[in-house]
Amino acid sequence: MSSKISGRVSPQPCPHLLDFCYRNGSNPFRALQDCIRVKPPGGRAAIRREPFEVPRCGTCDESSRPRLYACVACAAVFCHAPPLHSHASAHALSVPGHEIAVDVDRAELFCCACRDQVYDRDFDAAVVAQTITSTTSTSGSTVTQCKATGSQPDNLRKRRRVDYSLWAPNSRENAIIENHSIPLHDATNGSLISSTELPWGLRGLNNLGNTCFMNSVLQALLHTPPLRNYFLSDRHNRYYCQQKNGSTLNGSKNSRFCLSCDMDAMFSAVFSGDRTPYSPAKFLHSWWQHAANLASYEQQDAHEFFISMLDGIHEKVAKEKRKTHSPGTGDCCIAHRVFSGILRSDVMCMACGFTSTTYDPCLDISLDLEPNQGVSGKSSLAKSNNSCNVEADCMGSSQNCGISTLKGCLERFTRAEKLGSDQKFFCQKCQVRQESLKQMSIRKLPLVSCFHIKRFEHSSIRRMSRKVDRYLQFPFSLDMAPYLSSSILRSRFGNRIFPFGGDEQDACNEVSSEFELFAVVTHTGKLDAGHYVTYLRLSNHWYKCDDAWITRVNESIVLAAQGYMMFYVQKMLYYKASEKQAASWCDVRK
Amino acid sequence: MSHSHKLVIKRSSMSRPPPPPPTTNKDQQHQNPSLQEINIKLIQSGEKERLKELLRERLLECGWIDEMKALCRKKGRNNVTVDDLVHVISPKGRASVPNSMKAELLQRIRAFLASTAD
């Protein structure tokens, strides 16, 4: 349907156009070119006899039809809006030789008999030429008029938009890429990983003076998949950040610090392939500036550090962006995006059943180890009020079943608990303080769940602190479904004393509830003279990170360790790097 | 055969607007401008062109234009006329314009008419 003329493809002219050109000489549209008007603001070409005329159909007098055509032979204007109104076609059919017309608003040639666009090289060239000169003219009225409406030679730019094409590097670009990249450790081929070869991104952290609390948390964060991906894909570029905020060169005490920049530097260093231990001094210094009250060489609490650090990342971003965000969505910063979830708290009045529900964002979940067997009145009360709660509770007060488990802690966390008589809740319906039942559940799961076990008890009454050393069993795979608000409410509905709350769609329905363990921060020793160590799970192997020393360990060591903070990531974000390797080992998932 | 080709003006088609239709009620003529009159007002003041440009921008932003282009491509390149494409695209195009856009344009037209009311 087209022919090539000097390299450019031109559609074949229709017989009517051929006929017209034959009868009207070499440049049949020359006169038409004088009627080309380029209209601001868009800079589009139109055909007008006089600049401000309003074209109307000669037959029906309508000016508001979408397509109006002027017959090139007799200059009569007609509408063309098939199938109802096509006076242009009628004209073409009735008068031979009058088939060719021009779209008055688009300056495009049209054959009314063939009902299709036709082209004339000279005419189109004239249109383009006029368009260019008009939009780039420096005449005052045109330019200001264009600027006022905000869209000027953009129109021209749009016409010349480059078509999308897939990019592949040429040999020179390939060479540049190769010279400036470090090859990734090939973790997919299991046989390459010997017992002495450490996987990518494992590097010891030097203890800078009782800083194992920081090192242990940092090791866990360095291998938190979404956080690692964020920093390794340069989402926070420390050079750009410093440049943007202007580093203070005079070294004043109030020099700006950015924990994210320090994290970025740390990620670069740890994943560089260098195995010598890294000293996170800059990071420590920045954190001290953020958490001035904790700035000392004393041993700190790892969990407190964790929360403080996430807060530091958040604050910096929140200050910069200054945008309001709904808490719990994690839109504000990467720290919240990764760790932020939403907890739901229901308080039910035991007299009338009225339930008050509140939602709170949380960065982690702090769990109590259950009190010693047979002692606590709290657990037995809870049991009696939840006779409908079917749970294999081997931690019942009457029995010494033995081991505490993480699941047990979560069950207890989401169990309905009677608030003591000294904690009577003000019921809005009864308008008086009543005894109430409180139940926690998880409304929205975070990408990474951090479970903090409350092993350090600080009693202000007795002015003493103590550490709970009891062992806690934790699984490698965890399904959080039973602790979600939807599940908790469903089970509550079975208990017909209290009305069903009719909960809205859980935000968690969108994401899976299956999690995989990837890091465990453990504490050994006494309260004030202890040591933190982190165990990391990479490629289904476990590695012990003890400050500057990294060793591979058997999973039984990990299972026997005293877990203080456990990090679980959503299963879909957890890459078990080597399927082949997993097949060669027995499946260790509980 | 060559002759100097001039566009012959047909005065009745490309010239001044027709006189307003005679109405019995003189007030009514001013209160309810016909679509024609509104259209002419918009064109003569240049507002129609500005509105068209605004519309183009909005439709581009929301991906409507790309959608329509994709629909056109589906029809293929052979044995397709402009009329074919217009016939196929128009209903879909009209249906998929976001309501917010319609509201915005309507608002601007109203504002314009109000500002130029006699």
Side-chain angles (χ1 to χ4, degrees):
Chain A
M1 280 294 279
S2 51
S3 58
K4 281 205 174 179
I5 305 170
S6 64
R8 277 198 221 133
V9 178
S10 262
Q12 285 276 7
C14 74
H16 310 99
L17 180 67
L18 280 171
D19 190 55
F20 185 84
C21 291
Y22 176 72
R23 281 186 284 109
N24 291 293
S26 56
N27 198 349
F29 305 105
R30 182 67 193 84
L32 202 58
Q33 290 170 18
D34 297 334
C35 301
I36 299 174
R37 319 271 173 197
V38 179
K39 294 182 162 268
R44 289 169 188 273
I47 300 290
R48 297 286 189 272
R49 291 273 327 158
E50 284 135 42
F52 296 106
E53 72 183 328
V54 179
R56 312 168 74 96
C57 175
T59 308
C60 62
D61 216 23
E62 271 297 319
S63 65
S64 55
R65 296 262 181 262
R67 290 157 76 191
L68 288 167
Y69 289 96
C71 173
V72 183
C74 66
V77 176
F78 297 103
C79 63
H80 182 63
L84 292 170
H85 313 277
S86 181
H87 301 122
S89 297
H91 175 73
L93 290 171
S94 61
V95 188
H98 287 224
E99 297 90 3
I100 307 300
V102 65
D103 185 327
V104 297
D105 284 321
R106 293 173 186 86
E108 288 167 353
L109 294 172
F110 189 78
C111 174
C112 300
C114 302
R115 296 183 169 226
D116 198 8
Q117 196 167 347
V118 292
Y119 305 90
D120 180 78
R121 185 86 69 73
D122 298 318
F123 178 72
D124 284 342
V127 169
V128 174
Q130 277 248 37
T131 312
I132 294 174
T133 49
S134 294
T135 52
T136 56
S137 76
T138 50
S139 74
S141 57
T142 319
V143 173
T144 47
Q145 209 168 3
C146 286
K147 280 196 174 150
T149 47
S151 62
Q152 6 139 339
D154 286 28
N155 185 44
L156 206 59
R157 238 176 279 143
K158 280 177 202 164
R159 285 183 199 240
R160 291 188 187 154
R161 197 187 301 165
V162 176
D163 284 323
Y164 171 80
S165 60
L166 212 58
W167 175 83
N170 58 31
S171 53
R172 186 181 141 265
E173 286 159 345
N174 248 326
I176 295 174
I177 294 171
E178 273 180 36
N179 289 338
H180 294 268
S181 320
I182 309 167
L184 283 178
H185 182 76
D186 186 5
T188 53
N189 193 344
S191 58
L192 286 181
I193 301 178
S194 64
S195 53
T196 52
E197 173 109 3
L198 293 180
W200 205 250
L202 269 187
R203 195 172 168 183
L205 298 174
N206 283 324
N207 190 315
L208 306 173
N210 278 327
T211 59
C212 59
F213 69 92
M214 178 180 78
N215 287 346
S216 53
V217 171
L218 287 177
Q219 287 287 13
L221 293 178
L222 284 167
H223 294 274
T224 298
L227 203 64
R228 173 202 66 203
N229 296 346
Y230 177 85
F231 281 103
L232 286 182
S233 55
D234 207 28
R235 297 283 296 279
H236 184 100
N237 185 306
R238 58 189 182 277
Y239 305 110
Y240 177 72
C241 179
Q242 284 166 11
Q243 191 185 45
K244 194 171 65 163
N245 300 320
S247 44
T248 54
L249 298 167
N250 53 8
S252 69
K253 275 196 180 164
N254 296 328
S255 61
R256 56 157 292 289
F257 64 90
C258 178
L259 283 172
S260 297
C261 285
D262 300 323
M263 280 298 282
D264 186 43
M266 200 180 317
F267 269 98
S268 297
V270 166
F271 282 84
S272 66
D274 187 353
R275 298 292 186 186
T276 61
Y278 175 77
S279 292
K282 178 121 198 338
F283 184 89
L284 181 66
H285 179 68
S286 296
W287 177 66
W288 277 348
Q289 288 188 296
H290 168 70
N293 57 322
L294 300 172
S296 76
Y297 276 113
E298 284 173 359
Q299 174 78 280
Q300 307 288 350
D301 178 23
H303 177 249
E304 203 175 354
F305 166 74
F306 172 65
I307 297 295
S308 162
M309 195 200 117
L310 293 185
D311 189 53
I313 292 177
H314 171 75
E315 249 184 42
K316 185 90 204 320
V317 175
K319 230 186 288 173
E320 280 168 16
K321 288 197 177 166
R322 242 176 274 112
K323 65 176 178 185
T324 51
H325 66 97
S326 40
T329 54
D331 291 338
C332 45
C333 63
I334 183 60
H336 282 202
R337 180 82 189 94
V338 175
F339 291 103
S340 174
I342 301 179
L343 287 179
R344 174 186 164 131
S345 165
D346 293 306
V347 180
M348 291 160 278
C349 170
M350 290 180 74
C352 68
F354 176 77
T355 306
S356 153
T357 304
T358 49
Y359 295 104
D360 289 302
C362 65
L363 288 174
D364 65 351
I365 299 179
S366 291
L367 299 168
D368 287 298
L369 279 171
E370 88 273 339
N372 287 323
Q373 326 298 53
V375 170
S376 141
K378 197 158 80 160
S379 56
S380 57
L381 256 177
K383 227 184 160 290
S384 65
N385 277 317
N386 283 279
S387 47
C388 301
N389 251 347
V390 179
E391 62 185 56
D393 189 5
C394 79
M395 293 157 302
S397 47
S398 52
Q399 274 188 6
N400 191 352
C401 245
I403 314 169
S404 324
T405 66
L406 181 66
K407 283 192 168 173
C409 289
L410 283 168
E411 275 160 23
R412 228 167 333 96
F413 179 75
T414 53
R415 190 181 302 175
E417 175 194 322
K418 183 176 173 205
L419 297 177
S421 41
D422 54 333
Q423 291 173 293
K424 279 191 193 173
F425 196 76
F426 184 82
C427 172
Q428 286 189 354
K429 222 164 112 179
C430 305
Q431 288 290 312
V432 81
R433 286 192 180 275
Q434 298 279 24
E435 289 194 329
S436 324
L437 215 61
K438 176 174 170 176
Q439 187 165 33
M440 302 290 301
S441 58
I442 301 174
R443 162 136 168 83
K444 179 175 166 267
L445 288 166
L447 293 180
V448 176
S449 286
C450 171
F451 297 114
H452 163 237
I453 309 301
K454 294 187 196 168
R455 290 188 177 279
F456 302 112
E457 291 178 352
H458 304 279
S459 164
S460 51
I461 304 163
R462 285 188 251 162
R463 296 237 188 129
M464 60 165 272
S465 312
R466 70 183 188 99
K467 185 192 169 193
V468 181
D469 270 311
R470 187 178 324 117
Y471 171 72
L472 180 80
Q473 188 193 71
F474 48 89
F476 283 6
S477 302
L478 180 64
D479 188 359
M480 295 292 288
Y483 318 111
L484 297 173
S485 301
S486 47
S487 314
I488 299 290
L489 289 174
R490 242 176 273 135
S491 59
R492 197 193 297 158
F493 185 47
N495 183 354
R496 279 170 229 141
I497 301 173
F498 304 105
F500 185 46
D503 191 32
E504 331 83 68
Q505 257 309 12
D506 274 329
C508 59
N509 284 343
E510 303 156 9
V511 297
S512 151
S513 58
E514 291 179 36
F515 283 75
E516 284 288 321
L517 177 70
F518 68 92
V520 182
V521 173
T522 65
H523 184 272
T524 49
K526 294 195 276 218
L527 184 80
D528 38 4
H531 186 56
Y532 288 102
V533 161
T534 301
Y535 292 95
L536 292 176
R537 184 180 179 197
L538 301 170
S539 308
N540 242 357
H541 292 294
W542 282 98
Y543 297 88
K544 177 178 175 184
C545 305
D546 184 351
D547 284 330
W549 294 273
I550 311 241
T551 48
R552 192 172 126 177
V553 293
N554 200 305
E555 65 173 34
S556 53
I557 307 261
V558 182
L559 288 170
Q562 197 185 86
Y564 178 55
M565 289 167 75
M566 273 81 78
F567 291 81
Y568 287 83
V569 67
Q570 283 190 14
K571 195 169 164 193
M572 59 175 171
L573 298 174
Y574 175 75
Y575 306 114
K576 277 204 287 219
S578 165
E579 284 304 306
K580 207 162 79 173
Q581 194 161 25
S584 65
W585 293 79
C586 37
D587 196 350
V588 296
R589 292 201 280 139
K590 307 276 182 261
Chain B
M1 170 169 59
S2 64
H3 60 273
S4 73
H5 179 72
K6 255 196 204 168
L7 284 179
V8 173
I9 307 167
K10 252 201 169 176
R11 301 199 110 230
S12 63
S13 48
M14 288 175 114
S15 55
R16 58 189 96 76
T23 53
T24 49
N25 191 349
K26 202 176 177 189
D27 291 10
Q28 196 179 24
Q29 178 191 320
H30 290 290
Q31 272 170 14
N32 299 330
S34 67
L35 201 63
Q36 278 272 51
E37 286 166 15
I38 294 175
N39 190 41
I40 289 162
K41 234 187 193 176
L42 287 170
I43 295 174
Q44 285 181 328
S45 61
E47 182 69 7
K48 190 169 190 192
E49 200 56 43
R50 285 191 284 273
L51 288 171
K52 270 187 169 178
E53 207 51 43
L54 171 68
L55 184 60
R56 277 194 197 98
E57 211 177 293
R58 292 277 180 265
L59 290 173
L60 185 70
E61 282 167 2
C62 76
W64 183 92
I65 291 188
D66 293 319
E67 264 176 52
M68 293 302 123
K69 276 190 184 166
L71 279 175
C72 288
R73 279 196 204 103
K74 262 196 213 163
K75 268 243 129 198
R77 294 167 71 182
N78 299 323
N79 296 322
V80 181
T81 67
V82 169
D83 274 7
D84 288 338
L85 290 176
V86 170
H87 178 68
V88 168
I89 294 296
S90 295
K92 295 181 191 171
R94 287 185 197 280
S96 63
V97 175
N99 287 333
S100 56
M101 215 176 281
K102 293 179 186 170
E104 184 182 357
L105 279 165
L106 203 59
Q107 177 57 34
R108 276 196 67 151
I109 294 170
R110 279 208 189 100
F112 168 77
L113 290 175
S115 69
T116 58
D118 308 326

